[in-house]
Amino acid sequence: MVKFGKDLQDECLEKWSDSYLNYKNLKSVIREELLQIEKIDSVVEIFNNFDCLLQEELSKINDFYRENVNLLSSELNDIVITIDNTSEDDDKQKKIKILTDFYNKVDELRHYILLNVIAVIKIIKKRNKKAF
């Protein structure tokens, strides 16, 4: 059975590797905090560090996502202008290629989102399992 952390690492796009949820780091924080469980009175206190790090990761992901959506939106506007300004006689293959390239960029962002959603669900599930 392959661990999720390995799957996440394998599925990440190289060009965006720093923008994904740092699953490995969050997992190590859970482990470290569990070692301190006997020294601390409340389970809530144990996961404060984890929650702060998770919030930072979510902010990083959200910022990256918004930036890329804005870039894609701008690019789509440019594509629409380009297609509107070309005549019917222009190469249809060129238009198809432009739209296909754009579609691939949108699909990469979709893949990025899905991997991060799964990573967040998995790490929170792991935290809750260890806490209770």
Side-chain angles (χ1 to χ4, degrees), residues 2-9 23 115 118-120 122-123:
V2 177
K3 303 276 184 176
F4 175 74
K6 177 71 172 135
D7 284 343
L8 179 63
Q9 188 178 13
Y23 184 84
L115 283 177
I118 293 168
V120 168
K122 292 265 189 190
I123 200 66

Side-chain angles (χ1 to χ4, degrees), residues 67-103:
E67 177 185 330
N68 276 276
V69 166
N70 288 336
L71 289 171
L72 287 171
S73 178
S74 176
E75 185 175 341
L76 182 58
N77 288 335
D78 292 344
I79 290 171
V80 169
I81 291 169
T82 301
I83 290 175
D84 283 348
N85 290 336
T86 57
S87 68
E88 299 271 335
D89 299 334
D90 283 345
D91 188 13
K92 190 175 183 177
Q93 288 298 92
K94 182 179 179 182
K95 293 176 186 178
I96 291 172
K97 178 166 179 15
I98 291 170
L99 291 172
T100 301
D101 290 345
F102 181 76
Y103 170 82

Side-chain angles (χ1 to χ4, degrees), residues 27-48:
K27 189 175 170 183
S28 70
V29 168
I30 292 172
R31 251 186 262 119
E32 289 171 15
E33 291 180 348
L34 285 174
L35 294 174
Q36 298 175 13
I37 201 164
E38 295 173 3
K39 300 175 189 174
I40 299 174
D41 295 332
S42 170
V43 173
V44 174
E45 288 179 47
I46 294 173
F47 292 104
N48 279 342

